[in-house]
């Protein structure tokens, strides 16, 4: 049995929850906005007062039991998202590497012969406090992580000089360069 799946999810007073008739769609509205998510039909999501519970349908298979805890955790992330939001911070390092925020796009200069234009999705907020820092925030944890990984994928940190895009808490792998030995 899943310990996470049995966890009761407390709904704050500011958050309203709508669950579809077939228990598959959950829609949450809170101070920061509105988010909805569709889940497997093999998990039952119920609301009693200010608490949500997730239950397995009878005759559940082993793979369904694995979804039970995951569903509960995703719903908790949705509640946290409409209350507090989520954020990721990216750092850019390298000579001449920088980012410019223009209207609804980011222009990234990452050592290529051309700049990279990245359109900013409507549900994500991107702030560029300095030319080498990108702050990504939103109410959906999955979308914030996806956008951060897409930007990081343009130029991952290379191991010799440490140039590229990395998360602020990531420690890049550094390798020793060529060494000369004298005789």
């Amino acid at each position: 049995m899943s310990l996470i799946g049995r966890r009761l999810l407390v709904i704050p007073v500011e958050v309203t929850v709508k669950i579809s008739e077939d228990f598959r769609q959950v829609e949450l509205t809170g101070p920061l906005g509105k988010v909805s998510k569709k889940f497997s039909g093999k998990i039952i999501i119920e609301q009693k007062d200010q608490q949500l519970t997730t239950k397995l349908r009878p005759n559940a298979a082993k793979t369904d039991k694995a979804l039970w805890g995951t569903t509960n955790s995703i719903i908790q992330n949705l509640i946290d998202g409409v209350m507090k939001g989520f954020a990721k911070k990216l750092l850019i390092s390298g000579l001449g590497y920088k980012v410019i925020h223009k209207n609804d796009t980011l222009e990234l200069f990452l050592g290529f012969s051309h700049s990279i234009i990245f359109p900013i999705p409507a549900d994500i907020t991107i702030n560029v406090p300095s030319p080498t820092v990108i702050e990504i925030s939103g109410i959906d944890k999955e979308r914030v992580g996806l956008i951060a990984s897409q930007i990081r994928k343009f130029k991952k940190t290379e191991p010799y000089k440490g140039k590229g895009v990395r998360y602020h808490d990531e420690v890049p792998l550094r390798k020793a360069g060529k060494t000369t030995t004298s005789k």
Side-chain angles (χ1 to χ4, degrees):
M1 295 298 276
S2 173
L3 295 176
I4 295 174
R6 283 188 267 153
R7 177 178 61 177
L8 289 176
L9 302 172
V10 179
I11 304 168
V13 178
E14 302 89 16
V15 177
T16 58
V17 178
K18 291 181 186 174
I19 301 172
S20 66
E21 297 295 324
D22 59 353
F23 305 108
R24 293 187 71 191
Q25 182 91 9
V26 176
E27 185 177 293
L28 290 112
T29 307
L32 295 182
K34 178 176 160 182
V35 66
S36 66
K37 191 84 167 174
K38 198 171 194 175
F39 295 100
S40 170
K42 299 176 181 178
I43 308 294
I44 300 171
I45 303 165
E46 294 178 340
Q47 180 180 5
K48 291 181 183 175
D49 300 327
Q50 286 299 100
Q51 292 182 339
L52 281 177
T53 57
T54 54
K55 296 179 183 176
L56 280 173
R57 291 200 185 270
N59 303 326
K62 190 173 184 176
T63 55
D64 302 338
K65 291 177 184 177
L67 288 175
W68 186 21
T70 303
T71 302
N72 195 299
S73 294
I74 291 172
I75 294 172
Q76 181 64 53
N77 286 338
L78 295 176
I79 293 170
D80 292 344
V82 296
M83 286 299 295
K84 299 180 284 186
F86 294 99
K88 292 261 185 192
K89 189 176 185 181
L90 296 173
L91 302 177
I92 299 173
S93 58
L95 187 62
Y97 289 22
K98 65 180 179 177
V99 63
I100 298 173
H101 187 267
K102 292 181 180 179
N103 298 331
D104 57 350
T105 62
L106 287 179
E107 188 172 6
L108 299 144
F109 297 92
L110 299 174
F112 299 118
S113 62
H114 60 283
S115 64
I116 298 169
I117 306 295
F118 183 78
I120 301 172
D123 59 339
I124 298 294
T125 305
I126 295 184
N127 185 21
V128 182
S130 73
T132 58
V133 178
I134 303 170
E135 294 173 348
I136 304 162
S137 59
I139 60 174
D140 190 355
K141 186 176 186 178
E142 183 181 351
R143 290 282 295 155
V144 170
L146 177 69
I147 298 302
S149 70
Q150 286 175 348
I151 293 172
R152 182 175 175 265
K153 199 185 300 182
F154 290 131
K155 184 82 170 193
K156 290 185 180 177
T157 304
E158 56 95 14
Y160 294 101
K161 292 185 179 179
K163 293 180 179 182
V165 181
R166 65 181 173 94
Y167 296 111
H168 81 285
D169 55 353
E170 179 183 4
V171 178
L173 172 71
R174 297 298 300 263
K175 292 182 179 178
K178 291 182 181 178
T179 57
T180 57
T181 56
S182 58
K183 292 185 179 184

